[in-house]
mmCIF file of all heavy atoms in Angstrom:
data_model
loop_
_atom_site.group_PDB
_atom_site.id
_atom_site.type_symbol
_atom_site.label_atom_id
_atom_site.label_comp_id
_atom_site.label_asym_id
_atom_site.label_seq_id
_atom_site.Cartn_x
_atom_site.Cartn_y
_atom_site.Cartn_z
ATOM 1 N N SER R 12 0.785 -1.112 0.019
ATOM 2 C CA SER R 12 -0.003 0.043 0.039
ATOM 3 C C SER R 12 0.874 1.189 -0.050
ATOM 4 O O SER R 12 0.743 2.007 0.956
ATOM 5 C CB SER R 12 -0.877 0.024 1.228
ATOM 6 O OG SER R 12 -0.067 0.156 2.379
ATOM 7 N N THR R 13 1.721 1.467 -0.982
ATOM 8 C CA THR R 13 2.409 2.607 -1.193
ATOM 9 C C THR R 13 2.695 2.993 -2.584
ATOM 10 O O THR R 13 2.827 2.083 -3.424
ATOM 11 C CB THR R 13 3.787 2.371 -0.464
ATOM 12 O OG1 THR R 13 4.642 3.564 -0.699
ATOM 13 C CG2 THR R 13 4.600 1.144 -1.082
ATOM 14 N N ARG R 14 2.636 4.373 -2.788
ATOM 15 C CA ARG R 14 2.879 4.747 -4.217
ATOM 16 C C ARG R 14 4.387 4.787 -4.658
ATOM 17 O O ARG R 14 4.728 5.040 -5.684
ATOM 18 C CB ARG R 14 2.358 6.200 -4.371
ATOM 19 C CG ARG R 14 0.801 6.327 -4.115
ATOM 20 C CD ARG R 14 0.359 7.681 -4.250
ATOM 21 N NE ARG R 14 -1.115 7.764 -4.042
ATOM 22 C CZ ARG R 14 -1.822 8.933 -4.027
ATOM 23 N NH1 ARG R 14 -1.225 9.989 -4.223
ATOM 24 N NH2 ARG R 14 -3.132 8.828 -3.878
ATOM 25 N N THR R 15 5.223 4.563 -3.635
ATOM 26 C CA THR R 15 6.682 4.559 -3.863
ATOM 27 C C THR R 15 7.260 3.176 -3.680
ATOM 28 O O THR R 15 8.377 2.915 -3.283
ATOM 29 C CB THR R 15 7.445 5.513 -2.839
ATOM 30 O OG1 THR R 15 7.153 4.996 -1.504
ATOM 31 C CG2 THR R 15 6.963 6.893 -2.964
ATOM 32 N N PHE R 16 6.431 2.185 -4.165
ATOM 33 C CA PHE R 16 6.858 0.779 -4.114
ATOM 34 C C PHE R 16 8.190 0.490 -4.718
ATOM 35 O O PHE R 16 8.980 -0.249 -4.358
ATOM 36 C CB PHE R 16 5.740 -0.033 -4.636
ATOM 37 C CG PHE R 16 6.064 -1.466 -4.708
ATOM 38 C CD1 PHE R 16 6.008 -2.338 -3.536
ATOM 39 C CD2 PHE R 16 6.459 -2.172 -5.845
ATOM 40 C CE1 PHE R 16 6.369 -3.650 -3.605
ATOM 41 C CE2 PHE R 16 6.725 -3.567 -5.948
ATOM 42 C CZ PHE R 16 6.647 -4.289 -4.695
ATOM 43 N N SER R 17 8.312 1.213 -5.816
ATOM 44 C CA SER R 17 9.602 0.966 -6.733
ATOM 45 C C SER R 17 10.815 1.249 -5.853
ATOM 46 O O SER R 17 11.922 1.035 -6.381
ATOM 47 C CB SER R 17 9.495 1.684 -8.002
ATOM 48 O OG SER R 17 9.402 3.093 -7.685
ATOM 49 N N THR R 18 10.744 2.093 -4.826
ATOM 50 C CA THR R 18 11.923 2.471 -4.054
ATOM 51 C C THR R 18 12.289 1.494 -2.881
ATOM 52 O O THR R 18 13.227 1.653 -2.125
ATOM 53 C CB THR R 18 11.803 3.821 -3.472
ATOM 54 O OG1 THR R 18 10.699 3.836 -2.480
ATOM 55 C CG2 THR R 18 11.536 4.888 -4.574
ATOM 56 N N TYR R 19 11.423 0.428 -2.759
ATOM 57 C CA TYR R 19 11.591 -0.521 -1.661
ATOM 58 C C TYR R 19 12.201 -1.793 -2.197
ATOM 59 O O TYR R 19 11.696 -2.453 -3.159
ATOM 60 C CB TYR R 19 10.258 -0.865 -0.961
ATOM 61 C CG TYR R 19 9.777 0.277 -0.122
ATOM 62 C CD1 TYR R 19 8.980 1.332 -0.644
ATOM 63 C CD2 TYR R 19 9.907 0.083 1.135
ATOM 64 C CE1 TYR R 19 8.577 2.302 0.151
ATOM 65 C CE2 TYR R 19 9.489 1.138 2.133
ATOM 66 C CZ TYR R 19 8.779 2.227 1.543
ATOM 67 O OH TYR R 19 8.380 3.186 2.297
ATOM 68 N N ALA R 20 13.192 -2.387 -1.429
ATOM 69 C CA ALA R 20 13.724 -3.663 -1.593
ATOM 70 C C ALA R 20 12.656 -4.608 -0.915
ATOM 71 O O ALA R 20 12.150 -4.224 0.036
ATOM 72 C CB ALA R 20 15.150 -3.847 -0.898
ATOM 73 N N MET R 21 12.471 -5.780 -1.521
ATOM 74 C CA MET R 21 11.454 -6.744 -1.079
ATOM 75 C C MET R 21 12.096 -8.071 -0.717
ATOM 76 O O MET R 21 13.060 -8.454 -1.406
ATOM 77 C CB MET R 21 10.285 -6.884 -2.074
ATOM 78 C CG MET R 21 9.677 -5.578 -2.525
ATOM 79 S SD MET R 21 8.757 -4.847 -1.085
ATOM 80 C CE MET R 21 7.658 -6.002 -0.759
ATOM 81 N N GLY R 22 11.438 -8.735 0.254
ATOM 82 C CA GLY R 22 11.941 -10.068 0.524
ATOM 83 C C GLY R 22 10.753 -10.970 0.903
ATOM 84 O O GLY R 22 9.721 -10.494 1.343
ATOM 85 N N TRP R 23 10.935 -12.187 0.826
ATOM 86 C CA TRP R 23 10.147 -13.277 1.291
ATOM 87 C C TRP R 23 10.929 -14.131 2.405
ATOM 88 O O TRP R 23 12.042 -14.615 2.154
ATOM 89 C CB TRP R 23 9.691 -14.192 0.243
ATOM 90 C CG TRP R 23 8.638 -13.761 -0.756
ATOM 91 C CD1 TRP R 23 8.807 -13.163 -1.892
ATOM 92 C CD2 TRP R 23 7.208 -13.655 -0.413
ATOM 93 N NE1 TRP R 23 7.705 -12.773 -2.468
ATOM 94 C CE2 TRP R 23 6.575 -13.082 -1.584
ATOM 95 C CE3 TRP R 23 6.368 -14.048 0.648
ATOM 96 C CZ2 TRP R 23 5.207 -12.809 -1.722
ATOM 97 C CZ3 TRP R 23 4.994 -13.794 0.465
ATOM 98 C CH2 TRP R 23 4.438 -13.232 -0.602
ATOM 99 N N PHE R 24 10.279 -14.146 3.577
ATOM 100 C CA PHE R 24 10.864 -15.074 4.660
ATOM 101 C C PHE R 24 9.820 -16.036 5.028
ATOM 102 O O PHE R 24 8.689 -16.032 4.695
ATOM 103 C CB PHE R 24 11.176 -14.104 5.845
ATOM 104 C CG PHE R 24 12.195 -13.097 5.691
ATOM 105 C CD1 PHE R 24 12.005 -12.018 5.019
ATOM 106 C CD2 PHE R 24 13.438 -13.409 6.427
ATOM 107 C CE1 PHE R 24 13.056 -11.130 4.744
ATOM 108 C CE2 PHE R 24 14.508 -12.461 6.150
ATOM 109 C CZ PHE R 24 14.313 -11.374 5.370
ATOM 110 N N ARG R 25 10.268 -17.012 5.803
ATOM 111 C CA ARG R 25 9.411 -18.106 6.211
ATOM 112 C C ARG R 25 9.839 -18.599 7.653
ATOM 113 O O ARG R 25 11.006 -18.373 8.116
ATOM 114 C CB ARG R 25 9.348 -19.315 5.339
ATOM 115 C CG ARG R 25 10.597 -20.156 5.245
ATOM 116 C CD ARG R 25 10.452 -21.233 4.153
ATOM 117 N NE ARG R 25 11.770 -22.040 4.148
ATOM 118 C CZ ARG R 25 11.875 -23.024 3.208
ATOM 119 N NH1 ARG R 25 11.025 -23.180 2.152
ATOM 120 N NH2 ARG R 25 13.094 -23.608 3.200
ATOM 121 N N GLN R 26 8.758 -19.067 8.393
ATOM 122 C CA GLN R 26 9.013 -19.510 9.705
ATOM 123 C C GLN R 26 8.178 -20.833 9.934
ATOM 124 O O GLN R 26 6.996 -20.702 9.865
ATOM 125 C CB GLN R 26 8.757 -18.557 10.715
ATOM 126 C CG GLN R 26 9.130 -18.865 12.192
ATOM 127 C CD GLN R 26 9.055 -17.738 13.178
ATOM 128 O OE1 GLN R 26 8.576 -16.703 12.827
ATOM 129 N NE2 GLN R 26 9.787 -17.792 14.278
ATOM 130 N N ALA R 27 8.931 -21.846 10.176
ATOM 131 C CA ALA R 27 8.333 -23.137 10.580
ATOM 132 C C ALA R 27 8.140 -23.263 12.022
ATOM 133 O O ALA R 27 8.936 -22.537 12.729
ATOM 134 C CB ALA R 27 9.146 -24.189 9.943
ATOM 135 N N PRO R 28 7.248 -24.123 12.511
ATOM 136 C CA PRO R 28 7.116 -24.314 13.947
ATOM 137 C C PRO R 28 8.381 -24.654 14.567
ATOM 138 O O PRO R 28 9.043 -25.599 14.162
ATOM 139 C CB PRO R 28 6.064 -25.328 14.107
ATOM 140 C CG PRO R 28 5.212 -25.334 12.754
ATOM 141 C CD PRO R 28 6.255 -24.877 11.704
ATOM 142 N N GLY R 29 8.755 -23.863 15.693
ATOM 143 C CA GLY R 29 9.847 -24.325 16.409
ATOM 144 C C GLY R 29 11.202 -23.920 15.817
ATOM 145 O O GLY R 29 12.262 -24.175 16.307
ATOM 146 N N LYS R 30 11.110 -23.142 14.631
ATOM 147 C CA LYS R 30 12.312 -22.679 13.937
ATOM 148 C C LYS R 30 12.379 -21.276 13.901
ATOM 149 O O LYS R 30 11.297 -20.556 13.952
ATOM 150 C CB LYS R 30 12.462 -23.363 12.612
ATOM 151 C CG LYS R 30 12.608 -24.828 12.584
ATOM 152 C CD LYS R 30 12.890 -25.369 11.241
ATOM 153 C CE LYS R 30 13.088 -26.937 11.277
ATOM 154 N NZ LYS R 30 13.381 -27.361 9.989
ATOM 155 N N GLU R 31 13.589 -20.666 13.615
ATOM 156 C CA GLU R 31 13.698 -19.178 13.430
ATOM 157 C C GLU R 31 13.254 -18.822 12.082
ATOM 158 O O GLU R 31 13.299 -19.548 11.112
ATOM 159 C CB GLU R 31 15.111 -18.744 13.761
ATOM 160 C CG GLU R 31 15.579 -18.968 15.100
ATOM 161 C CD GLU R 31 17.020 -18.519 15.275
ATOM 162 O OE1 GLU R 31 17.683 -18.019 14.251
ATOM 163 O OE2 GLU R 31 17.411 -18.357 16.427
ATOM 164 N N ARG R 32 12.893 -17.535 11.968
ATOM 165 C CA ARG R 32 12.485 -17.001 10.650
ATOM 166 C C ARG R 32 13.706 -16.932 9.788
ATOM 167 O O ARG R 32 14.752 -16.516 10.171
ATOM 168 C CB ARG R 32 11.892 -15.565 10.815
ATOM 169 C CG ARG R 32 11.223 -15.000 9.546
ATOM 170 C CD ARG R 32 10.504 -13.783 9.951
ATOM 171 N NE ARG R 32 9.380 -14.001 10.829
ATOM 172 C CZ ARG R 32 8.499 -13.114 10.970
ATOM 173 N NH1 ARG R 32 8.463 -11.923 10.447
ATOM 174 N NH2 ARG R 32 7.490 -13.321 11.911
ATOM 175 N N GLU R 33 13.606 -17.411 8.599
ATOM 176 C CA GLU R 33 14.640 -17.376 7.588
ATOM 177 C C GLU R 33 14.376 -16.779 6.272
ATOM 178 O O GLU R 33 13.224 -16.735 5.840
ATOM 179 C CB GLU R 33 15.098 -18.845 7.389
ATOM 180 C CG GLU R 33 14.094 -19.686 6.639
ATOM 181 C CD GLU R 33 14.682 -21.175 6.317
ATOM 182 O OE1 GLU R 33 15.753 -21.441 6.550
ATOM 183 O OE2 GLU R 33 13.828 -21.973 5.846
ATOM 184 N N LEU R 34 15.290 -16.245 5.567
ATOM 185 C CA LEU R 34 15.128 -15.678 4.320
ATOM 186 C C LEU R 34 14.879 -16.809 3.201
ATOM 187 O O LEU R 34 15.568 -17.738 3.294
ATOM 188 C CB LEU R 34 16.455 -14.847 3.878
ATOM 189 C CG LEU R 34 16.430 -14.314 2.420
ATOM 190 C CD1 LEU R 34 15.402 -13.059 2.336
ATOM 191 C CD2 LEU R 34 17.840 -14.016 1.985
ATOM 192 N N VAL R 35 13.927 -16.611 2.423
ATOM 193 C CA VAL R 35 13.678 -17.493 1.349
ATOM 194 C C VAL R 35 14.227 -16.829 0.003
ATOM 195 O O VAL R 35 14.958 -17.521 -0.668
ATOM 196 C CB VAL R 35 12.087 -17.735 1.182
ATOM 197 C CG1 VAL R 35 11.882 -18.525 -0.036
ATOM 198 C CG2 VAL R 35 11.589 -18.321 2.434
ATOM 199 N N ALA R 36 13.847 -15.511 -0.151
ATOM 200 C CA ALA R 36 14.266 -14.997 -1.390
ATOM 201 C C ALA R 36 14.115 -13.384 -1.273
ATOM 202 O O ALA R 36 13.275 -12.838 -0.490
ATOM 203 C CB ALA R 36 13.487 -15.332 -2.667
ATOM 204 N N ALA R 37 15.007 -12.587 -1.986
ATOM 205 C CA ALA R 37 14.855 -11.261 -1.868
ATOM 206 C C ALA R 37 15.242 -10.687 -3.260
ATOM 207 O O ALA R 37 15.966 -11.250 -4.037
ATOM 208 C CB ALA R 37 15.890 -10.687 -0.883
ATOM 209 N N ILE R 38 14.713 -9.354 -3.407
ATOM 210 C CA ILE R 38 14.937 -8.728 -4.761
ATOM 211 C C ILE R 38 15.216 -7.236 -4.492
ATOM 212 O O ILE R 38 14.629 -6.672 -3.534
ATOM 213 C CB ILE R 38 13.772 -8.903 -5.646
ATOM 214 C CG1 ILE R 38 13.967 -8.416 -7.077
ATOM 215 C CG2 ILE R 38 12.492 -8.311 -4.986
ATOM 216 C CD1 ILE R 38 12.964 -8.790 -8.137
ATOM 217 N N THR R 39 16.131 -6.573 -5.177
ATOM 218 C CA THR R 39 16.409 -5.239 -4.997
ATOM 219 C C THR R 39 15.264 -4.258 -5.497
ATOM 220 O O THR R 39 14.433 -4.793 -6.231
ATOM 221 C CB THR R 39 17.705 -4.858 -5.745
ATOM 222 O OG1 THR R 39 17.497 -5.192 -7.149
ATOM 223 C CG2 THR R 39 18.919 -5.551 -5.167
ATOM 224 N N TRP R 40 15.387 -2.966 -5.005
ATOM 225 C CA TRP R 40 14.328 -2.175 -5.446
ATOM 226 C C TRP R 40 14.340 -2.029 -6.970
ATOM 227 O O TRP R 40 13.322 -1.761 -7.614
ATOM 228 C CB TRP R 40 14.453 -0.804 -4.805
ATOM 229 C CG TRP R 40 15.873 -0.135 -5.100
ATOM 230 C CD1 TRP R 40 16.977 -0.133 -4.399
ATOM 231 C CD2 TRP R 40 16.123 0.663 -6.216
ATOM 232 N NE1 TRP R 40 18.041 0.595 -5.006
ATOM 233 C CE2 TRP R 40 17.451 1.213 -6.087
ATOM 234 C CE3 TRP R 40 15.393 1.132 -7.290
ATOM 235 C CZ2 TRP R 40 18.005 1.940 -7.024
ATOM 236 C CZ3 TRP R 40 15.973 1.952 -8.287
ATOM 237 C CH2 TRP R 40 17.308 2.400 -8.254
ATOM 238 N N SER R 41 15.563 -2.121 -7.557
ATOM 239 C CA SER R 41 15.611 -2.036 -8.997
ATOM 240 C C SER R 41 15.233 -3.262 -9.757
ATOM 241 O O SER R 41 15.126 -3.152 -10.981
ATOM 242 C CB SER R 41 17.159 -1.807 -9.357
ATOM 243 O OG SER R 41 17.888 -2.834 -8.914
ATOM 244 N N GLY R 42 15.115 -4.273 -9.017
ATOM 245 C CA GLY R 42 14.805 -5.541 -9.796
ATOM 246 C C GLY R 42 16.043 -6.156 -10.456
ATOM 247 O O GLY R 42 15.968 -7.177 -11.204
ATOM 248 N N ALA R 43 17.222 -5.466 -10.159
ATOM 249 C CA ALA R 43 18.425 -5.879 -10.932
ATOM 250 C C ALA R 43 18.974 -7.175 -10.539
ATOM 251 O O ALA R 43 19.783 -7.916 -11.195
ATOM 252 C CB ALA R 43 19.407 -4.811 -10.917
ATOM 253 N N ASN R 44 18.663 -7.575 -9.319
ATOM 254 C CA ASN R 44 19.282 -8.729 -8.755
ATOM 255 C C ASN R 44 18.337 -9.380 -7.670
ATOM 256 O O ASN R 44 17.549 -8.765 -7.049
ATOM 257 C CB ASN R 44 20.684 -8.467 -8.115
ATOM 258 C CG ASN R 44 21.531 -9.655 -7.959
ATOM 259 O OD1 ASN R 44 21.271 -10.740 -8.485
ATOM 260 N ND2 ASN R 44 22.688 -9.585 -7.179
ATOM 261 N N THR R 45 18.570 -10.782 -7.594
ATOM 262 C CA THR R 45 17.756 -11.534 -6.547
ATOM 263 C C THR R 45 18.825 -12.532 -5.855
ATOM 264 O O THR R 45 19.842 -12.701 -6.359
ATOM 265 C CB THR R 45 16.736 -12.392 -7.279
ATOM 266 O OG1 THR R 45 17.475 -13.208 -8.268
ATOM 267 C CG2 THR R 45 15.754 -11.565 -8.049
ATOM 268 N N VAL R 46 18.226 -12.943 -4.727
ATOM 269 C CA VAL R 46 19.078 -13.912 -3.948
ATOM 270 C C VAL R 46 18.135 -14.966 -3.328
ATOM 271 O O VAL R 46 16.961 -14.593 -3.103
ATOM 272 C CB VAL R 46 19.904 -13.168 -2.803
ATOM 273 C CG1 VAL R 46 18.956 -12.578 -1.806
ATOM 274 C CG2 VAL R 46 20.917 -14.168 -2.215
ATOM 275 N N TYR R 47 18.617 -16.162 -3.206
ATOM 276 C CA TYR R 47 17.766 -17.221 -2.772
ATOM 277 C C TYR R 47 18.467 -18.062 -1.671
ATOM 278 O O TYR R 47 19.699 -18.206 -1.605
ATOM 279 C CB TYR R 47 17.438 -18.256 -3.940
ATOM 280 C CG TYR R 47 16.584 -17.619 -4.907
ATOM 281 C CD1 TYR R 47 17.193 -16.987 -6.045
ATOM 282 C CD2 TYR R 47 15.146 -17.489 -4.889
ATOM 283 C CE1 TYR R 47 16.452 -16.382 -7.048
ATOM 284 C CE2 TYR R 47 14.451 -16.931 -5.891
ATOM 285 C CZ TYR R 47 15.121 -16.353 -6.933
ATOM 286 O OH TYR R 47 14.266 -15.686 -7.920
ATOM 287 N N ALA R 48 17.707 -18.618 -0.748
ATOM 288 C CA ALA R 48 18.173 -19.523 0.094
ATOM 289 C C ALA R 48 18.691 -20.826 -0.603
ATOM 290 O O ALA R 48 18.044 -21.063 -1.615
ATOM 291 C CB ALA R 48 17.116 -19.999 1.222
ATOM 292 N N ASP R 49 19.711 -21.474 -0.171
ATOM 293 C CA ASP R 49 20.210 -22.619 -0.855
ATOM 294 C C ASP R 49 19.152 -23.659 -1.099
ATOM 295 O O ASP R 49 19.111 -24.434 -2.039
ATOM 296 C CB ASP R 49 21.473 -23.175 -0.240
ATOM 297 C CG ASP R 49 22.669 -22.293 -0.320
ATOM 298 O OD1 ASP R 49 22.726 -21.471 -1.276
ATOM 299 O OD2 ASP R 49 23.614 -22.519 0.499
ATOM 300 N N SER R 50 18.294 -23.802 -0.083
ATOM 301 C CA SER R 50 17.294 -24.878 -0.012
ATOM 302 C C SER R 50 16.243 -24.667 -1.011
ATOM 303 O O SER R 50 15.429 -25.582 -1.315
ATOM 304 C CB SER R 50 16.691 -24.982 1.435
ATOM 305 O OG SER R 50 16.035 -23.712 1.706
#
């Protein structure tokens, strides 16, 4: 809910029961690059 969405880096995280929150994937504000968990 923002008009300046293009200026935000975004990420997806996940948390399973009994485990810590972990990064799944992320993307820069530019969309130029992404990163993924090895799994």
Side-chain angles (χ1 to χ4, degrees):
S12 66
T13 174
R14 296 179 180 178
T15 58
F16 176 76
S17 63
T18 66
Y19 284 84
M21 301 297 296
W23 286 98
F24 290 75
R25 67 185 181 187
Q26 188 167 18
K30 295 187 176 182
E31 293 187 353
R32 191 171 297 190
E33 63 175 356
L34 176 74
V35 176
I38 187 168
T39 55
W40 61 266
S41 63
N44 201 11
T45 57
V46 65
Y47 297 92
D49 288 343
S50 59

